[in-house]
Amino acid sequence: MNYFDAHGNYATVTLLAAAEITATGNGSGVDMLNYAGKAKIIVISSAGTGTSPTLDLKIQASADNSTWADVSGATFTQIVDAATVEAIGVDLNSAARYLRVVKTAGGTTPSFYAGVIAICAQEQR
């Protein structure tokens, strides 16, 4: 699967700024209007701390930055007690205009340091 255009017009878009995650919540919507094609969405996370820490991350899309739905196949493997780097593919041409990251933290006093970026072709869709 080719995730980039042949001309090298790539962009890195921050979907979730690297920060400590200790609770469940939703990231802010990110406008993806100027990006098209297949995107690689990458999470980088530290190992979790706390008692039985877990972190589930998934991508949602919205046409209006208000009503959200899960993007099919855009769920990362659960993060536990090991540092993680994982990439998934998302077709921006079939996803709605805005993307966000949904965070679900589990365990007792879970703590992870994580961030999510998208690498994609920069063009008007």
Side-chain angles (χ1 to χ4, degrees), residues 2-11 120-123:
N2 184 7
Y3 288 94
F4 306 111
D5 71 357
H7 306 291
N9 298 320
Y10 314 127
C120 44
Q122 190 167 358
E123 57 186 64

Side-chain angles (χ1 to χ4, degrees), residues 34 48 50 53 75 77 80 100 121-122:
N34 293 321
T75 300
T77 303
V80 288
R100 75 175 179 187
Q122 190 167 358

